[in-house]
Every structure is written in structure tokens, then in C-alpha cells.
Amino acid sequence: KMRSLAPGIKLITSFSRDSWYRFFILLLTFVFYTTYHLSRKPISIIKSQLHRNCSNVIHPADLNITDNDTWCDWAPFDQNNYQNLFGVLDNCFLVAYAIGMFFSGIFGERLPLRYYLSSGMILSGIFTALFGLGFYWQIHSLWYYCLVQALNGLVQTTGWPAVVACVGNWFGKGKRGFIMGIWNSHTSVGNILGSLIAGVYVSSAWGLSFIVPGIIIAAAGVICFLFLVESKQEQKGNKNKDCSLSNTTNLNINIKIVDTATIFYFYSVYFNHRSKYHPVIFAHRVVFILQGVVEFSLCLLFAKLVSYTFLYWLPLYIANVAHFDPKKAGDLSTLFDVGGIVGGILAGLISDYSGGRATTCCAMLIIAAPMVSQTFFFLSFFAQTSGMLLWCGALVNGPYALITTAVSADLGTHECLRGNSRALSTVTAIIDGTGSIGAAVGPLLAGLISPTGWNNVFYMLIAADVLACLLLSRLVYKEVRGWCGYTTRLRG
């Protein structure tokens, strides 16, 4: 009599080889983009170390002090305009990231994703570590740190279009919101790990707060080169280049309702490709434009403005208002990212169940606006505000996570593209590139406005949430009409 297999082995063998590949790709891309955010986070943690209230710090007896208030600060951030300098530093990264994102999709289409992603991660590790080496090399030039940040911003654009394209290649639309809601928690997990790692070294040797994350993302780049399988065709050894841009010339795409602003985006991509390829959206007669790209892109602009302002300035705000040391302020700020994990999964579940991506985003943004003001109030008067930070993180990051994952994947694998999975890379880059403009503007405005009072920064964030919500009004109206049984009539 044959004995039955152990339950664990039964469970393992019950899944197909394709299912295991899906799980493997989901896990790999999760880890990869976690390391991207892990390497971005340290700058927000070390700000309160670069500029401190030195009158409360005990100085070494053998140190000759000329200025009791700035002796422990790191030049050039020992000046009164240090908040503006921090804003400049953030924007060197974020502006370069925003500009690079519009071109990232182009390279992501032309190059194998495995090479593109792994090289980007290794270069990002080098530039992240170079920022930290400024501590050991005693570099006090703002230009050095700005240059390193800008170069890091450019190479970090390799990450998002590539990982979304990989996941989009392996997963269908069925439960995409839920799957990608869980998967997108890599953003918050990376922020949390980056905060904790940077917090370990921030008070003793802040250079290691960058060097250690730099080593981690570079090591992940090597793993990417060795193990990433970017599509089912590659896994099956299919020689048919179904996903290559060269075969998209056979597409015969129907005319849809066209948005003028969107034409500008996609024509810019088209003319960058025309010498060798036909891009994501084209036809022999008419360029097809995906409806909703403009609204979601501009909504993401304001959503990322809010999210990245919290990302780069929340630890410094907590340190200044609650008078916490840099490590404790960084640890408390991670609660915002924990809430972001919950918000991303919740947004994905609700949108899958309801079928309303825009309505889900809009509802969360409406609730987020007053929640931001309440967070400011509680942080100003109460040190323990963990619940408020969790809720605020969920509501702020939920729409951001949904747009950058499920919505981008929906649009990038639209039926009109007929299997051109590489299209997802460019559509994702366009949406996230527009959002990255907001990510650059938010921290810059925070640096300029914060000297006039932190309350003004929060008013700016509330206004951004309201604008993000208003930009989705047309799509929300369309979704609500669909639920009520009405169908959209195409004109012409």
C-alpha cells in the first residue's frame, strides 16, 4: 500500500510551474523595488542630524568652539537657510527623477528589462554610497551632494517602469487591484526599512546611513541579473518576438475619443521612436490615445506631492515639533508608511470589488484632506499620535499606490494594444513621470514654506488633495453612470 505524500509536498505540487514562476517574479520585483525606496529614505532621516540645536549638545573638551549654536552641524547645512538647502537637495533628486522618468520608458522598451533593471540598481547603489562617503571624505560642498542626488535620481527611474512591466507580463486583469495593492506595499516596506537602517547610524556616523542601503540595492541588482525572468515567452523559450516593438507595426488600432493633452504626451514618445520603432500607440492613419491617462496622471501629480512631502519632511517636522532625537523621530515616521501598506491593499480590494478605480481614489482623497489637518494638530500638541499617522498614511498613499500600479497596468495592457506587453513600460513611465513632477514640487514648496510656519505646509497639502480629487471628477461620473446602468456613447 502506497503512503500518501506529506501535506506540505501536496501543497507545493498542487501549483503549476507557471504559478511558481508568477510567485517568484512577484517576490523578486517586490524585493527589488523595496531596495529602491530603501535607498531613497535616508536623506529624510539625516536632515535633523545635519542641522541640530547644538546648544543642547555636549561638545568635546578639546574642541575649540566659535559658534555655540552651529558647532555640531554639518556644513553647508549649518546656515540659517538650512531648510531651503534641504529643499534644494531633495529637488536635485526629484527633478532629475521626474525628467528621467519620461525617457525611462523609451529605454525600457528597447533594452531587455533584466539588463536595464540590474544596471540601474547597481548604479543607484554606487551613487547612494557616494553621498554617504561625503561624511568620511569630509566634503562640505553643496554642489557635490546635489550632483550625487541628481545622478541617483536619473538612474532610479529604471526601477518603476521595469518592475511594473514585469508584473504586468505575468498577471492578468482579474484581481490585479488586490494583487498589485499587496505588491505595491514594497514602497512602504522600503521606506520603513530605510528609516530603521538609517536610524541605526544617524547619530554616530551618518555616512553609513547611505553606504549600507547602497550596498543592499547594488547586491539586489546582481540578484536581478542572475534570476529575473521578464515574461512568459522568455520562460518558455519562445523565439517568437511577440512583445518586441518591431512587430507592433502590424497593429491596426481603432479611432477613439482623443484628448489633446494626451496627444502631446504620446507624440513626444512617438517621435523619439520613429527612426527605428513604432511605439506604444500609433496607427498607419491615426494615433490612438488612451482615455483616462491625462486625469490619472495629473491626479497622481498632486497625490505624489502630498506623499513625497511626508516622505522627505515628516521626520524633521516630528523632530522640530515634538522635540525628538533624530532616531526616535525617524522611527515614529515609519507609522505613516505602515498605514500606507494598509491603504494600498484596501484601495486595491475596493476597486476590484466595485470596478471603480477613479471612485476609490476620489473617496480616499476626500477623507484624506481633513485627516492631514488633524495629523498636524495632534503632532503639534501631542507626542503620541500613532493612530493619526497610520490613518493619514493609509488615506494619502492608497490612491497613489492604486494609480501607479493597477491603473497603470490596466491602461498599459488595454485591449487596443493587442498583446504588446512592452507598451506597459512606456505608459507607466508617462503616468509616473507626471506624478514625479508633483513629487519634486512638494518637498521644494515645503522647504520654502516651512520657515513661515509648519501650518502653512499642511494647508498646501490639503489643497493638493482637493485638486487631486477634482481632477478625477469626470471619470468618477462615468463610473457612477456605469453602475446605474448607463453606457457611454462614443461620438463620431
Side-chain angles (χ1 to χ4, degrees), residues 239-264:
K239 302 299 182 183
N240 186 10
K241 306 296 185 180
D242 290 336
C243 293
S244 68
L245 286 170
S246 59
N247 279 336
T248 60
T249 54
N250 296 322
L251 292 175
N252 182 18
I253 302 173
N254 297 324
I255 301 172
K256 302 284 185 179
I257 296 173
V258 175
D259 212 312
T260 306
T262 318
I263 292 176
F264 171 77

mmCIF file with all atom_site columns, all heavy atoms in Angstrom, residues 239-264:
data_model
loop_
_atom_site.group_PDB
_atom_site.id
_atom_site.type_symbol
_atom_site.label_atom_id
_atom_site.label_alt_id
_atom_site.label_comp_id
_atom_site.label_asym_id
_atom_site.label_entity_id
_atom_site.label_seq_id
_atom_site.pdbx_PDB_ins_code
_atom_site.Cartn_x
_atom_site.Cartn_y
_atom_site.Cartn_z
_atom_site.occupancy
_atom_site.B_iso_or_equiv
_atom_site.pdbx_formal_charge
_atom_site.auth_seq_id
_atom_site.auth_comp_id
_atom_site.auth_asym_id
_atom_site.auth_atom_id
_atom_site.pdbx_PDB_model_num
ATOM 1   N N   . LYS A 1 239 ? 10.726  31.729 -29.212 1.00 0.00 ? 239 LYS A N   1
ATOM 2   C CA  . LYS A 1 239 ? 11.546  32.559 -30.082 1.00 0.00 ? 239 LYS A CA  1
ATOM 3   C C   . LYS A 1 239 ? 10.729  33.631 -30.804 1.00 0.00 ? 239 LYS A C   1
ATOM 4   O O   . LYS A 1 239 ? 11.277  34.525 -31.438 1.00 0.00 ? 239 LYS A O   1
ATOM 5   C CB  . LYS A 1 239 ? 12.247  31.701 -31.138 1.00 0.00 ? 239 LYS A CB  1
ATOM 6   C CG  . LYS A 1 239 ? 13.132  30.615 -30.552 1.00 0.00 ? 239 LYS A CG  1
ATOM 7   C CD  . LYS A 1 239 ? 14.239  31.191 -29.700 1.00 0.00 ? 239 LYS A CD  1
ATOM 8   C CE  . LYS A 1 239 ? 15.149  30.117 -29.146 1.00 0.00 ? 239 LYS A CE  1
ATOM 9   N NZ  . LYS A 1 239 ? 16.192  30.655 -28.267 1.00 0.00 ? 239 LYS A NZ  1
ATOM 10  N N   . ASN A 1 240 ? 9.424   33.498 -30.714 1.00 0.00 ? 240 ASN A N   1
ATOM 11  C CA  . ASN A 1 240 ? 8.568   34.470 -31.383 1.00 0.00 ? 240 ASN A CA  1
ATOM 12  C C   . ASN A 1 240 ? 8.596   35.789 -30.640 1.00 0.00 ? 240 ASN A C   1
ATOM 13  O O   . ASN A 1 240 ? 8.283   35.855 -29.465 1.00 0.00 ? 240 ASN A O   1
ATOM 14  C CB  . ASN A 1 240 ? 7.123   33.933 -31.405 1.00 0.00 ? 240 ASN A CB  1
ATOM 15  C CG  . ASN A 1 240 ? 6.213   34.829 -32.208 1.00 0.00 ? 240 ASN A CG  1
ATOM 16  O OD1 . ASN A 1 240 ? 6.698   35.737 -32.887 1.00 0.00 ? 240 ASN A OD1 1
ATOM 17  N ND2 . ASN A 1 240 ? 4.913   34.574 -32.119 1.00 0.00 ? 240 ASN A ND2 1
ATOM 18  N N   . LYS A 1 241 ? 8.987   36.846 -31.284 1.00 0.00 ? 241 LYS A N   1
ATOM 19  C CA  . LYS A 1 241 ? 9.146   38.136 -30.618 1.00 0.00 ? 241 LYS A CA  1
ATOM 20  C C   . LYS A 1 241 ? 7.814   38.883 -30.540 1.00 0.00 ? 241 LYS A C   1
ATOM 21  O O   . LYS A 1 241 ? 7.654   39.981 -31.076 1.00 0.00 ? 241 LYS A O   1
ATOM 22  C CB  . LYS A 1 241 ? 10.167  39.004 -31.370 1.00 0.00 ? 241 LYS A CB  1
ATOM 23  C CG  . LYS A 1 241 ? 11.498  38.321 -31.578 1.00 0.00 ? 241 LYS A CG  1
ATOM 24  C CD  . LYS A 1 241 ? 12.181  38.039 -30.263 1.00 0.00 ? 241 LYS A CD  1
ATOM 25  C CE  . LYS A 1 241 ? 13.568  37.469 -30.449 1.00 0.00 ? 241 LYS A CE  1
ATOM 26  N NZ  . LYS A 1 241 ? 14.263  37.174 -29.218 1.00 0.00 ? 241 LYS A NZ  1
ATOM 27  N N   . ASP A 1 242 ? 6.837   38.280 -29.892 1.00 0.00 ? 242 ASP A N   1
ATOM 28  C CA  . ASP A 1 242 ? 5.520   38.898 -29.817 1.00 0.00 ? 242 ASP A CA  1
ATOM 29  C C   . ASP A 1 242 ? 5.545   40.219 -29.076 1.00 0.00 ? 242 ASP A C   1
ATOM 30  O O   . ASP A 1 242 ? 4.719   41.092 -29.315 1.00 0.00 ? 242 ASP A O   1
ATOM 31  C CB  . ASP A 1 242 ? 4.536   37.961 -29.101 1.00 0.00 ? 242 ASP A CB  1
ATOM 32  C CG  . ASP A 1 242 ? 4.221   36.755 -29.959 1.00 0.00 ? 242 ASP A CG  1
ATOM 33  O OD1 . ASP A 1 242 ? 4.365   36.870 -31.182 1.00 0.00 ? 242 ASP A OD1 1
ATOM 34  O OD2 . ASP A 1 242 ? 3.837   35.715 -29.394 1.00 0.00 ? 242 ASP A OD2 1
ATOM 35  N N   . CYS A 1 243 ? 6.478   40.339 -28.138 1.00 0.00 ? 243 CYS A N   1
ATOM 36  C CA  . CYS A 1 243 ? 6.481   41.535 -27.310 1.00 0.00 ? 243 CYS A CA  1
ATOM 37  C C   . CYS A 1 243 ? 7.402   42.611 -27.842 1.00 0.00 ? 243 CYS A C   1
ATOM 38  O O   . CYS A 1 243 ? 7.573   43.647 -27.224 1.00 0.00 ? 243 CYS A O   1
ATOM 39  C CB  . CYS A 1 243 ? 6.901   41.188 -25.880 1.00 0.00 ? 243 CYS A CB  1
ATOM 40  S SG  . CYS A 1 243 ? 5.700   40.151 -25.046 1.00 0.00 ? 243 CYS A SG  1
ATOM 41  N N   . SER A 1 244 ? 8.102   42.349 -28.932 1.00 0.00 ? 244 SER A N   1
ATOM 42  C CA  . SER A 1 244 ? 9.044   43.341 -29.435 1.00 0.00 ? 244 SER A CA  1
ATOM 43  C C   . SER A 1 244 ? 8.317   44.457 -30.147 1.00 0.00 ? 244 SER A C   1
ATOM 44  O O   . SER A 1 244 ? 7.269   44.255 -30.750 1.00 0.00 ? 244 SER A O   1
ATOM 45  C CB  . SER A 1 244 ? 10.047  42.685 -30.389 1.00 0.00 ? 244 SER A CB  1
ATOM 46  O OG  . SER A 1 244 ? 9.380   42.278 -31.557 1.00 0.00 ? 244 SER A OG  1
ATOM 47  N N   . LEU A 1 245 ? 8.892   45.634 -30.087 1.00 0.00 ? 245 LEU A N   1
ATOM 48  C CA  . LEU A 1 245 ? 8.273   46.801 -30.701 1.00 0.00 ? 245 LEU A CA  1
ATOM 49  C C   . LEU A 1 245 ? 8.269   46.695 -32.222 1.00 0.00 ? 245 LEU A C   1
ATOM 50  O O   . LEU A 1 245 ? 7.444   47.304 -32.887 1.00 0.00 ? 245 LEU A O   1
ATOM 51  C CB  . LEU A 1 245 ? 9.020   48.054 -30.279 1.00 0.00 ? 245 LEU A CB  1
ATOM 52  C CG  . LEU A 1 245 ? 8.749   48.475 -28.841 1.00 0.00 ? 245 LEU A CG  1
ATOM 53  C CD1 . LEU A 1 245 ? 9.723   49.571 -28.454 1.00 0.00 ? 245 LEU A CD1 1
ATOM 54  C CD2 . LEU A 1 245 ? 7.331   48.965 -28.672 1.00 0.00 ? 245 LEU A CD2 1
ATOM 55  N N   . SER A 1 246 ? 9.195   45.914 -32.783 1.00 0.00 ? 246 SER A N   1
ATOM 56  C CA  . SER A 1 246 ? 9.274   45.836 -34.235 1.00 0.00 ? 246 SER A CA  1
ATOM 57  C C   . SER A 1 246 ? 8.026   45.220 -34.843 1.00 0.00 ? 246 SER A C   1
ATOM 58  O O   . SER A 1 246 ? 7.704   45.459 -35.993 1.00 0.00 ? 246 SER A O   1
ATOM 59  C CB  . SER A 1 246 ? 10.496  45.022 -34.649 1.00 0.00 ? 246 SER A CB  1
ATOM 60  O OG  . SER A 1 246 ? 10.426  43.729 -34.102 1.00 0.00 ? 246 SER A OG  1
ATOM 61  N N   . ASN A 1 247 ? 7.302   44.376 -34.071 1.00 0.00 ? 247 ASN A N   1
ATOM 62  C CA  . ASN A 1 247 ? 6.104   43.750 -34.601 1.00 0.00 ? 247 ASN A CA  1
ATOM 63  C C   . ASN A 1 247 ? 4.850   44.557 -34.376 1.00 0.00 ? 247 ASN A C   1
ATOM 64  O O   . ASN A 1 247 ? 3.773   44.169 -34.810 1.00 0.00 ? 247 ASN A O   1
ATOM 65  C CB  . ASN A 1 247 ? 5.915   42.371 -33.963 1.00 0.00 ? 247 ASN A CB  1
ATOM 66  C CG  . ASN A 1 247 ? 6.776   41.331 -34.647 1.00 0.00 ? 247 ASN A CG  1
ATOM 67  O OD1 . ASN A 1 247 ? 7.150   41.504 -35.797 1.00 0.00 ? 247 ASN A OD1 1
ATOM 68  N ND2 . ASN A 1 247 ? 7.093   40.276 -33.935 1.00 0.00 ? 247 ASN A ND2 1
ATOM 69  N N   . THR A 1 248 ? 4.956   45.669 -33.654 1.00 0.00 ? 248 THR A N   1
ATOM 70  C CA  . THR A 1 248 ? 3.762   46.460 -33.396 1.00 0.00 ? 248 THR A CA  1
ATOM 71  C C   . THR A 1 248 ? 3.297   47.194 -34.631 1.00 0.00 ? 248 THR A C   1
ATOM 72  O O   . THR A 1 248 ? 2.229   47.796 -34.636 1.00 0.00 ? 248 THR A O   1
ATOM 73  C CB  . THR A 1 248 ? 4.017   47.477 -32.269 1.00 0.00 ? 248 THR A CB  1
ATOM 74  O OG1 . THR A 1 248 ? 5.083   48.345 -32.653 1.00 0.00 ? 248 THR A OG1 1
ATOM 75  C CG2 . THR A 1 248 ? 4.359   46.797 -30.979 1.00 0.00 ? 248 THR A CG2 1
ATOM 76  N N   . THR A 1 249 ? 4.095   47.150 -35.720 1.00 0.00 ? 249 THR A N   1
ATOM 77  C CA  . THR A 1 249 ? 3.647   47.786 -36.960 1.00 0.00 ? 249 THR A CA  1
ATOM 78  C C   . THR A 1 249 ? 2.418   47.089 -37.527 1.00 0.00 ? 249 THR A C   1
ATOM 79  O O   . THR A 1 249 ? 1.725   47.646 -38.364 1.00 0.00 ? 249 THR A O   1
ATOM 80  C CB  . THR A 1 249 ? 4.772   47.748 -38.005 1.00 0.00 ? 249 THR A CB  1
ATOM 81  O OG1 . THR A 1 249 ? 5.220   46.406 -38.169 1.00 0.00 ? 249 THR A OG1 1
ATOM 82  C CG2 . THR A 1 249 ? 5.932   48.611 -37.585 1.00 0.00 ? 249 THR A CG2 1
ATOM 83  N N   . ASN A 1 250 ? 2.159   45.830 -37.072 1.00 0.00 ? 250 ASN A N   1
ATOM 84  C CA  . ASN A 1 250 ? 1.008   45.105 -37.578 1.00 0.00 ? 250 ASN A CA  1
ATOM 85  C C   . ASN A 1 250 ? -0.286  45.476 -36.863 1.00 0.00 ? 250 ASN A C   1
ATOM 86  O O   . ASN A 1 250 ? -1.349  44.964 -37.196 1.00 0.00 ? 250 ASN A O   1
ATOM 87  C CB  . ASN A 1 250 ? 1.248   43.593 -37.419 1.00 0.00 ? 250 ASN A CB  1
ATOM 88  C CG  . ASN A 1 250 ? 2.405   43.137 -38.270 1.00 0.00 ? 250 ASN A CG  1
ATOM 89  O OD1 . ASN A 1 250 ? 2.568   43.613 -39.387 1.00 0.00 ? 250 ASN A OD1 1
ATOM 90  N ND2 . ASN A 1 250 ? 3.209   42.232 -37.747 1.00 0.00 ? 250 ASN A ND2 1
ATOM 91  N N   . LEU A 1 251 ? -0.172  46.320 -35.846 1.00 0.00 ? 251 LEU A N   1
ATOM 92  C CA  . LEU A 1 251 ? -1.365  46.700 -35.113 1.00 0.00 ? 251 LEU A CA  1
ATOM 93  C C   . LEU A 1 251 ? -2.261  47.578 -35.978 1.00 0.00 ? 251 LEU A C   1
ATOM 94  O O   . LEU A 1 251 ? -1.783  48.458 -36.689 1.00 0.00 ? 251 LEU A O   1
ATOM 95  C CB  . LEU A 1 251 ? -0.981  47.466 -33.833 1.00 0.00 ? 251 LEU A CB  1
ATOM 96  C CG  . LEU A 1 251 ? -0.281  46.662 -32.750 1.00 0.00 ? 251 LEU A CG  1
ATOM 97  C CD1 . LEU A 1 251 ? 0.114   47.589 -31.632 1.00 0.00 ? 251 LEU A CD1 1
ATOM 98  C CD2 . LEU A 1 251 ? -1.167  45.563 -32.232 1.00 0.00 ? 251 LEU A CD2 1
ATOM 99  N N   . ASN A 1 252 ? -3.542  47.330 -35.892 1.00 0.00 ? 252 ASN A N   1
ATOM 100 C CA  . ASN A 1 252 ? -4.488  48.180 -36.593 1.00 0.00 ? 252 ASN A CA  1
ATOM 101 C C   . ASN A 1 252 ? -5.454  48.703 -35.553 1.00 0.00 ? 252 ASN A C   1
ATOM 102 O O   . ASN A 1 252 ? -6.413  48.041 -35.189 1.00 0.00 ? 252 ASN A O   1
ATOM 103 C CB  . ASN A 1 252 ? -5.231  47.384 -37.661 1.00 0.00 ? 252 ASN A CB  1
ATOM 104 C CG  . ASN A 1 252 ? -6.202  48.261 -38.436 1.00 0.00 ? 252 ASN A CG  1
ATOM 105 O OD1 . ASN A 1 252 ? -6.076  49.484 -38.399 1.00 0.00 ? 252 ASN A OD1 1
ATOM 106 N ND2 . ASN A 1 252 ? -7.152  47.634 -39.117 1.00 0.00 ? 252 ASN A ND2 1
ATOM 107 N N   . ILE A 1 253 ? -5.135  49.879 -35.011 1.00 0.00 ? 253 ILE A N   1
ATOM 108 C CA  . ILE A 1 253 ? -5.821  50.378 -33.834 1.00 0.00 ? 253 ILE A CA  1
ATOM 109 C C   . ILE A 1 253 ? -6.959  51.302 -34.234 1.00 0.00 ? 253 ILE A C   1
ATOM 110 O O   . ILE A 1 253 ? -6.791  52.179 -35.065 1.00 0.00 ? 253 ILE A O   1
ATOM 111 C CB  . ILE A 1 253 ? -4.828  51.092 -32.912 1.00 0.00 ? 253 ILE A CB  1
ATOM 112 C CG1 . ILE A 1 253 ? -3.726  50.110 -32.535 1.00 0.00 ? 253 ILE A CG1 1
ATOM 113 C CG2 . ILE A 1 253 ? -5.499  51.597 -31.674 1.00 0.00 ? 253 ILE A CG2 1
ATOM 114 C CD1 . ILE A 1 253 ? -2.618  50.730 -31.784 1.00 0.00 ? 253 ILE A CD1 1
ATOM 115 N N   . ASN A 1 254 ? -8.106  51.081 -33.636 1.00 0.00 ? 254 ASN A N   1
ATOM 116 C CA  . ASN A 1 254 ? -9.280  51.863 -33.973 1.00 0.00 ? 254 ASN A CA  1
ATOM 117 C C   . ASN A 1 254 ? -9.217  53.256 -33.380 1.00 0.00 ? 254 ASN A C   1
ATOM 118 O O   . ASN A 1 254 ? -8.532  53.502 -32.398 1.00 0.00 ? 254 ASN A O   1
ATOM 119 C CB  . ASN A 1 254 ? -10.543 51.164 -33.437 1.00 0.00 ? 254 ASN A CB  1
ATOM 120 C CG  . ASN A 1 254 ? -10.733 49.820 -34.081 1.00 0.00 ? 254 ASN A CG  1
ATOM 121 O OD1 . ASN A 1 254 ? -10.435 49.656 -35.261 1.00 0.00 ? 254 ASN A OD1 1
ATOM 122 N ND2 . ASN A 1 254 ? -11.223 48.861 -33.314 1.00 0.00 ? 254 ASN A ND2 1
ATOM 123 N N   . ILE A 1 255 ? -9.987  54.160 -33.989 1.00 0.00 ? 255 ILE A N   1
ATOM 124 C CA  . ILE A 1 255 ? -10.038 55.536 -33.515 1.00 0.00 ? 255 ILE A CA  1
ATOM 125 C C   . ILE A 1 255 ? -10.909 55.598 -32.271 1.00 0.00 ? 255 ILE A C   1
ATOM 126 O O   . ILE A 1 255 ? -11.984 55.043 -32.222 1.00 0.00 ? 255 ILE A O   1
ATOM 127 C CB  . ILE A 1 255 ? -10.632 56.456 -34.599 1.00 0.00 ? 255 ILE A CB  1
ATOM 128 C CG1 . ILE A 1 255 ? -9.784  56.365 -35.858 1.00 0.00 ? 255 ILE A CG1 1
ATOM 129 C CG2 . ILE A 1 255 ? -10.738 57.883 -34.123 1.00 0.00 ? 255 ILE A CG2 1
ATOM 130 C CD1 . ILE A 1 255 ? -10.393 57.086 -37.036 1.00 0.00 ? 255 ILE A CD1 1
ATOM 131 N N   . LYS A 1 256 ? -10.424 56.288 -31.255 1.00 0.00 ? 256 LYS A N   1
ATOM 132 C CA  . LYS A 1 256 ? -11.189 56.506 -30.025 1.00 0.00 ? 256 LYS A CA  1
ATOM 133 C C   . LYS A 1 256 ? -11.304 57.998 -29.778 1.00 0.00 ? 256 LYS A C   1
ATOM 134 O O   . LYS A 1 256 ? -10.750 58.813 -30.501 1.00 0.00 ? 256 LYS A O   1
ATOM 135 C CB  . LYS A 1 256 ? -10.488 55.841 -28.823 1.00 0.00 ? 256 LYS A CB  1
ATOM 136 C CG  . LYS A 1 256 ? -10.274 54.351 -28.991 1.00 0.00 ? 256 LYS A CG  1
ATOM 137 C CD  . LYS A 1 256 ? -11.528 53.563 -28.787 1.00 0.00 ? 256 LYS A CD  1
ATOM 138 C CE  . LYS A 1 256 ? -11.263 52.074 -28.851 1.00 0.00 ? 256 LYS A CE  1
ATOM 139 N NZ  . LYS A 1 256 ? -12.427 51.263 -28.629 1.00 0.00 ? 256 LYS A NZ  1
ATOM 140 N N   . ILE A 1 257 ? -12.023 58.352 -28.692 1.00 0.00 ? 257 ILE A N   1
ATOM 141 C CA  . ILE A 1 257 ? -12.093 59.759 -28.319 1.00 0.00 ? 257 ILE A CA  1
ATOM 142 C C   . ILE A 1 257 ? -10.709 60.203 -27.892 1.00 0.00 ? 257 ILE A C   1
ATOM 143 O O   . ILE A 1 257 ? -10.070 59.565 -27.065 1.00 0.00 ? 257 ILE A O   1
ATOM 144 C CB  . ILE A 1 257 ? -13.094 59.967 -27.175 1.00 0.00 ? 257 ILE A CB  1
ATOM 145 C CG1 . ILE A 1 257 ? -14.494 59.604 -27.655 1.00 0.00 ? 257 ILE A CG1 1
ATOM 146 C CG2 . ILE A 1 257 ? -13.078 61.397 -26.685 1.00 0.00 ? 257 ILE A CG2 1
ATOM 147 C CD1 . ILE A 1 257 ? -15.517 59.616 -26.566 1.00 0.00 ? 257 ILE A CD1 1
ATOM 148 N N   . VAL A 1 258 ? -10.233 61.313 -28.450 1.00 0.00 ? 258 VAL A N   1
ATOM 149 C CA  . VAL A 1 258 ? -8.858  61.735 -28.263 1.00 0.00 ? 258 VAL A CA  1
ATOM 150 C C   . VAL A 1 258 ? -8.792  62.947 -27.351 1.00 0.00 ? 258 VAL A C   1
ATOM 151 O O   . VAL A 1 258 ? -9.615  63.827 -27.419 1.00 0.00 ? 258 VAL A O   1
ATOM 152 C CB  . VAL A 1 258 ? -8.216  62.052 -29.627 1.00 0.00 ? 258 VAL A CB  1
ATOM 153 C CG1 . VAL A 1 258 ? -6.825  62.610 -29.457 1.00 0.00 ? 258 VAL A CG1 1
ATOM 154 C CG2 . VAL A 1 258 ? -8.184  60.795 -30.477 1.00 0.00 ? 258 VAL A CG2 1
ATOM 155 N N   . ASP A 1 259 ? -7.807  62.947 -26.487 1.00 0.00 ? 259 ASP A N   1
ATOM 156 C CA  . ASP A 1 259 ? -7.570  64.040 -25.559 1.00 0.00 ? 259 ASP A CA  1
ATOM 157 C C   . ASP A 1 259 ? -6.354  64.816 -26.027 1.00 0.00 ? 259 ASP A C   1
ATOM 158 O O   . ASP A 1 259 ? -5.288  64.248 -26.187 1.00 0.00 ? 259 ASP A O   1
ATOM 159 C CB  . ASP A 1 259 ? -7.295  63.451 -24.162 1.00 0.00 ? 259 ASP A CB  1
ATOM 160 C CG  . ASP A 1 259 ? -7.790  64.365 -23.092 1.00 0.00 ? 259 ASP A CG  1
ATOM 161 O OD1 . ASP A 1 259 ? -7.481  65.556 -23.188 1.00 0.00 ? 259 ASP A OD1 1
ATOM 162 O OD2 . ASP A 1 259 ? -8.494  63.872 -22.186 1.00 0.00 ? 259 ASP A OD2 1
ATOM 163 N N   . THR A 1 260 ? -6.484  66.119 -26.233 1.00 0.00 ? 260 THR A N   1
ATOM 164 C CA  . THR A 1 260 ? -5.392  66.913 -26.813 1.00 0.00 ? 260 THR A CA  1
ATOM 165 C C   . THR A 1 260 ? -4.136  66.854 -25.960 1.00 0.00 ? 260 THR A C   1
ATOM 166 O O   . THR A 1 260 ? -3.033  66.691 -26.469 1.00 0.00 ? 260 THR A O   1
ATOM 167 C CB  . THR A 1 260 ? -5.832  68.385 -26.960 1.00 0.00 ? 260 THR A CB  1
ATOM 168 O OG1 . THR A 1 260 ? -7.043  68.413 -27.697 1.00 0.00 ? 260 THR A OG1 1
ATOM 169 C CG2 . THR A 1 260 ? -4.770  69.191 -27.687 1.00 0.00 ? 260 THR A CG2 1
ATOM 170 N N   . ALA A 1 261 ? -4.312  66.976 -24.639 1.00 0.00 ? 261 ALA A N   1
ATOM 171 C CA  . ALA A 1 261 ? -3.138  66.958 -23.761 1.00 0.00 ? 261 ALA A CA  1
ATOM 172 C C   . ALA A 1 261 ? -2.431  65.615 -23.824 1.00 0.00 ? 261 ALA A C   1
ATOM 173 O O   . ALA A 1 261 ? -1.213  65.535 -23.777 1.00 0.00 ? 261 ALA A O   1
ATOM 174 C CB  . ALA A 1 261 ? -3.558  67.262 -22.327 1.00 0.00 ? 261 ALA A CB  1
ATOM 175 N N   . THR A 1 262 ? -3.217  64.546 -23.965 1.00 0.00 ? 262 THR A N   1
ATOM 176 C CA  . THR A 1 262 ? -2.605  63.223 -24.023 1.00 0.00 ? 262 THR A CA  1
ATOM 177 C C   . THR A 1 262 ? -1.846  63.024 -25.314 1.00 0.00 ? 262 THR A C   1
ATOM 178 O O   . THR A 1 262 ? -0.818  62.357 -25.349 1.00 0.00 ? 262 THR A O   1
ATOM 179 C CB  . THR A 1 262 ? -3.690  62.143 -23.904 1.00 0.00 ? 262 THR A CB  1
ATOM 180 O OG1 . THR A 1 262 ? -4.614  62.552 -22.913 1.00 0.00 ? 262 THR A OG1 1
ATOM 181 C CG2 . THR A 1 262 ? -3.085  60.829 -23.496 1.00 0.00 ? 262 THR A CG2 1
ATOM 182 N N   . ILE A 1 263 ? -2.368  63.608 -26.409 1.00 0.00 ? 263 ILE A N   1
ATOM 183 C CA  . ILE A 1 263 ? -1.665  63.508 -27.691 1.00 0.00 ? 263 ILE A CA  1
ATOM 184 C C   . ILE A 1 263 ? -0.268  64.082 -27.569 1.00 0.00 ? 263 ILE A C   1
ATOM 185 O O   . ILE A 1 263 ? 0.698   63.529 -28.089 1.00 0.00 ? 263 ILE A O   1
ATOM 186 C CB  . ILE A 1 263 ? -2.442  64.264 -28.795 1.00 0.00 ? 263 ILE A CB  1
ATOM 187 C CG1 . ILE A 1 263 ? -3.761  63.540 -29.083 1.00 0.00 ? 263 ILE A CG1 1
ATOM 188 C CG2 . ILE A 1 263 ? -1.626  64.355 -30.081 1.00 0.00 ? 263 ILE A CG2 1
ATOM 189 C CD1 . ILE A 1 263 ? -4.644  64.255 -30.075 1.00 0.00 ? 263 ILE A CD1 1
ATOM 190 N N   . PHE A 1 264 ? -0.148  65.181 -26.821 1.00 0.00 ? 264 PHE A N   1
ATOM 191 C CA  . PHE A 1 264 ? 1.164   65.791 -26.633 1.00 0.00 ? 264 PHE A CA  1
ATOM 192 C C   . PHE A 1 264 ? 2.134   64.820 -25.983 1.00 0.00 ? 264 PHE A C   1
ATOM 193 O O   . PHE A 1 264 ? 3.273   64.669 -26.408 1.00 0.00 ? 264 PHE A O   1
ATOM 194 C CB  . PHE A 1 264 ? 1.029   67.043 -25.759 1.00 0.00 ? 264 PHE A CB  1
ATOM 195 C CG  . PHE A 1 264 ? 2.354   67.610 -25.339 1.00 0.00 ? 264 PHE A CG  1
ATOM 196 C CD1 . PHE A 1 264 ? 3.121   68.358 -26.220 1.00 0.00 ? 264 PHE A CD1 1
ATOM 197 C CD2 . PHE A 1 264 ? 2.846   67.382 -24.057 1.00 0.00 ? 264 PHE A CD2 1
ATOM 198 C CE1 . PHE A 1 264 ? 4.342   68.880 -25.833 1.00 0.00 ? 264 PHE A CE1 1
ATOM 199 C CE2 . PHE A 1 264 ? 4.067   67.904 -23.667 1.00 0.00 ? 264 PHE A CE2 1
ATOM 200 C CZ  . PHE A 1 264 ? 4.809   68.657 -24.558 1.00 0.00 ? 264 PHE A CZ  1
#
